[in-house]
Amino acid sequence: MTGTAATLRPQHPSVETYATSTDLLPLADDTYGPVAGSTLVLPSAGLWAVTMVARGVFSFTGVAGTFMVARMFNVTAGAAVAGTETFVVQVRQNVAGAGQTTGDNDTATMLKYLRVTGPTTLRMEAKTTFQLGTQPTQANLVSDSNGRSGLFAHRVGD
């Protein structure tokens, strides 16, 4: 073309990882633990839009009260990513018949803009907090064909 300037702008990269189902029952109450398969590497410096999707499942027999929270953790810095704590699911069953099973299954999302100075490794962490009644028989952060959990990132700027 004559008289015009053309500029090629490279597309900013996207990265993603899908977690695998993780049993949270072995964790101490109100203590975060890593979610299996959730490690994500931001390959370069810049401003990244990072989305966390967390699907939680609880099951109980009897009276129950507990909730699940997920967050992003910066493995490179060795610290939780501030402001990413996300309420995933809560079960509150104050009256239950003998042997009655109750539970819940919910999904939560969180979007965080992170500026990093170089390659950075992130992961998802989750915890459960017990409130009343019986301990859960199932407390999982789940990722399967009925709903995926994971971290997804797109570089949006320098």
Side-chain angles (χ1 to χ4, degrees):
M1 281 191 233
T2 305
T4 62
T7 303
L8 291 177
R9 294 188 180 161
Q11 182 180 15
H12 290 300
S14 294
V15 291
E16 61 188 39
T17 186
Y18 292 98
T20 56
S21 295
T22 301
D23 183 3
L24 302 176
L25 287 177
L27 296 175
D29 185 54
D30 203 33
T31 302
Y32 282 101
V35 173
S38 70
T39 301
L40 176 78
V41 177
L42 305 178
S44 61
L47 180 62
W48 290 81
V50 182
T51 302
M52 176 179 67
V53 179
R55 178 175 158 227
V57 176
F58 281 124
S59 292
F60 293 86
T61 300
V63 175
T66 194
F67 62 90
M68 183 183 301
V69 176
R71 71 179 181 190
M72 294 179 208
F73 186 85
N74 183 329
V75 177
T76 304
V81 178
T84 62
E85 300 83 3
T86 304
F87 196 91
V88 178
V89 60
Q90 179 177 25
V91 172
R92 185 101 175 160
Q93 176 75 22
N94 291 325
V95 179
Q100 179 182 358
T101 299
T102 189
D104 206 351
N105 179 8
D106 284 309
T107 302
T109 60
M110 157 64 68
L111 172 64
K112 180 76 172 183
Y113 289 94
L114 295 176
R115 182 169 303 282
V116 298
T117 58
T120 302
T121 301
L122 303 174
R123 74 173 178 231
M124 187 186 326
E125 294 187 334
K127 70 174 183 172
T128 60
T129 300
F130 179 70
Q131 295 175 302
L132 65 92
T134 60
Q135 292 285 343
T137 56
Q138 178 186 20
N140 289 15
L141 196 130
V142 178
S143 188
D144 61 22
S145 61
N146 295 311
R148 302 287 178 196
S149 294
L151 293 174
F152 312 90
H154 182 77
R155 188 163 172 250
V156 294
D158 296 324

